[in-house]
Amino acid sequence: MKIQPEISYHNIDKNQAIDSLVREKIGKLEQFCNYMNSCRVVIEKNHEHPKAGSPYRVRLDITVPPGHELAVDRSPDQGIQYEPLESVIRDAFEAARRQLVELVERQRQWDRNSPSQQQMVAIVTQIFPEEGYGFLRTVDEDREIYFHKNSVLHNDFERLTVGTGVRYVEEEGEKGPQATTVQIVNKPGVRTDKASETEVEIPLGWNS
């Protein structure tokens, strides 16, 4: 599991079996989208003896770069009385999986329809780990552009250093142009291990 999930329990004691099930389900979500920023899970018990449905409620909040938020809330109010917590958890994660698959497919479709934007490359010139942001210098136009750590794919923000080559997509932010969907192409002295990607050549006279 690449991300560190937040798992909270309200009005219910933490159970190792339940905790393991939740972490297993999060790991399976990463098989469909391995660049999630965060995953927050809240498990609570609302009623001891409901007239129908389940006494349990499961909520999921997932963030995916560049700025997508997915939410699932499952609290069955009909059906079998006292539906097991495990069933509610599985139902919630299945709903999250469907949302995630749909989002990833939309992103891939957008990438296929925007080939020119995939070619935008840059070099990291400034990085502020504690503040969670940095700046890129574009190779083609030699201009500086801001990026936030949430826009870095695969939770790779901590891998970025001055001189790291990246691909990115540009969009207009509140304070001007900013880089989104930032993906590492190569680090100084290290070629990428992905055959589909090529190393970014640092222009002559580049001042890192």
Side-chain angles (χ1 to χ4, degrees):
M1 186 184 303
K2 295 182 65 174
I3 62 173
Q4 294 297 322
E6 298 179 42
I7 307 174
S8 303
Y9 296 85
H10 297 168
N11 301 321
I12 184 173
D13 294 332
K14 181 178 179 179
N15 180 291
Q16 184 60 44
I18 294 299
D19 193 70
S20 297
L21 175 62
V22 170
R23 293 178 183 276
E24 174 190 338
K25 292 298 183 181
I26 295 173
K28 289 185 177 180
L29 289 183
E30 288 185 315
Q31 295 177 10
F32 298 97
C33 180
N34 62 0
Y35 51 93
M36 294 185 293
N37 287 135
S38 66
C39 180
R40 184 169 184 266
V41 183
V42 178
I43 300 173
E44 59 185 334
K45 190 172 185 179
N46 292 328
H47 307 286
E48 286 292 340
H49 304 288
K51 294 181 179 181
S54 172
Y56 303 109
R57 182 183 185 186
V58 177
R59 289 178 291 163
L60 280 74
D61 293 289
I62 299 170
T63 59
V64 178
H68 302 284
E69 295 184 8
L70 305 181
V72 172
D73 191 332
R74 283 294 183 271
S75 180
D77 57 3
Q78 295 180 353
I80 302 175
Q81 191 173 11
Y82 305 128
E83 185 174 359
L85 175 56
E86 291 87 344
S87 297
V88 183
I89 291 173
R90 289 190 175 93
D91 184 45
F93 273 93
E94 174 59 21
R97 184 194 68 79
R98 291 195 297 267
Q99 288 190 36
L100 204 56
V101 168
E102 182 180 348
L103 173 61
V104 170
E105 180 56 33
R106 288 204 309 268
Q107 290 181 324
R108 289 174 178 171
Q109 184 66 36
W110 185 83
D111 285 343
R112 289 193 291 267
N113 293 336
S114 307
S116 61
Q117 292 188 327
Q118 295 181 58
Q119 301 306 312
M120 299 176 73
V121 294
I123 304 294
V124 176
T125 54
Q126 298 184 68
I127 189 77
F128 302 94
E130 296 297 328
E131 292 79 7
Y133 71 93
F135 291 90
L136 310 174
R137 178 74 67 175
T138 63
V139 172
D140 295 336
E141 301 176 2
D142 192 26
R143 60 192 177 89
E144 200 167 62
I145 184 169
Y146 164 90
F147 72 96
H148 189 271
K149 69 176 184 179
N150 288 343
S151 295
V152 181
L153 296 183
H154 313 307
N155 292 313
D156 277 343
F157 180 76
E158 294 181 356
R159 292 184 57 211
L160 296 176
T161 58
V162 172
T164 300
V166 299
R167 295 186 187 278
Y168 71 98
V169 173
E170 182 175 327
E171 68 177 27
E172 194 67 16
E174 295 181 358
K175 299 182 179 180
Q178 65 182 38
T180 67
T181 320
V182 177
Q183 182 177 14
I184 293 176
V185 176
N186 77 305
K187 292 176 65 63
V190 180
R191 289 188 65 88
T192 177
D193 57 2
K194 295 184 179 180
S196 62
E197 294 174 347
T198 56
E199 183 175 1
V200 172
E201 297 292 335
I202 300 179
L204 294 176
W206 189 273
N207 293 321
S208 299

